[in-house]
Amino acid sequence: MKKILFTFWLLTLFIVMINQISCNQNPFKHGELLYKGLCQNCHQEDGQAVKGLIPPLAGSDYFKDNPALIACIMEHGLEGEIVVNGKKYNSPMAPIEDLSSSEMANIINFIINSWGNEGGFVSIKDVKSALESCKE
């Protein structure tokens, strides 16, 4: 029994160490995985989006001053015309259902720290505050 517990403890320690190493190498890994599963189909792997139809996230000026606004769009979707980097877009985006504030913050932090975006950090509190201000 002691040998099984020791093996279990060692395996758990190994998994924690591997997870820590991978997070240190890419602190936005969880956001990247969520992005790939939920956003990449339209916004593409490089954040450039489907040209002419969907606004790019790479180098986007749309979220520059308010990256937490991305949470409102994820929660409620987007209808109507927007201008991103001087170009008009008018493709609707459906809401992404059942995301927690933590998951939204992870996706946002991945986006604002990828593809030449200026970076920064959006906290879970920032996401919750943004969602309160954009309630329908």
Side-chain angles (χ1 to χ4, degrees):
M1 182 68 169
K2 286 182 180 182
K3 187 175 183 179
I4 293 172
L5 286 174
F6 180 74
T7 304
F8 175 76
W9 181 84
L10 247 140
L11 182 60
T12 303
L13 181 63
F14 179 74
I15 290 170
V16 168
M17 287 174 50
I18 294 297
N19 186 40
Q20 185 66 30
I21 290 168
S22 84
C23 286
N24 286 339
Q25 292 174 351
N26 182 356
F28 307 109
K29 188 68 174 172
H30 187 235
E32 179 182 15
L33 293 172
L34 288 166
Y35 175 87
K36 285 181 177 183
L38 299 169
C39 314
Q40 182 172 300
N41 192 43
C42 295
H43 291 286
Q44 304 298 298
E45 185 176 358
D46 61 1
Q48 293 295 328
V50 177
K51 301 279 188 232
L53 296 175
I54 297 175
L57 299 174
S60 173
D61 62 359
Y62 190 76
F63 301 113
K64 186 176 179 183
D65 294 329
N66 188 8
L69 177 62
I70 300 170
C72 292
I73 294 173
M74 285 191 279
E75 177 86 2
H76 301 290
L78 184 65
E79 292 280 335
E81 186 177 274
I82 63 169
V83 178
V84 178
N85 299 337
K87 184 171 168 100
K88 294 178 183 179
Y89 295 90
N90 199 4
S91 295
M93 179 180 149
I96 304 171
E97 299 189 9
D98 300 324
L99 284 177
S100 69
S101 297
S102 173
E103 290 169 323
M104 287 184 185
N106 279 307
I107 293 169
I108 294 166
N109 286 314
F110 170 70
I111 290 169
I112 65 175
N113 287 281
S114 299
W115 318 301
N117 290 330
E118 291 185 6
F121 178 76
V122 172
S123 70
I124 296 170
K125 183 179 176 185
D126 295 333
V127 168
K128 288 180 179 179
S129 177
L131 293 174
E132 281 297 315
S133 69
C134 67
K135 278 187 176 177
E136 294 181 311

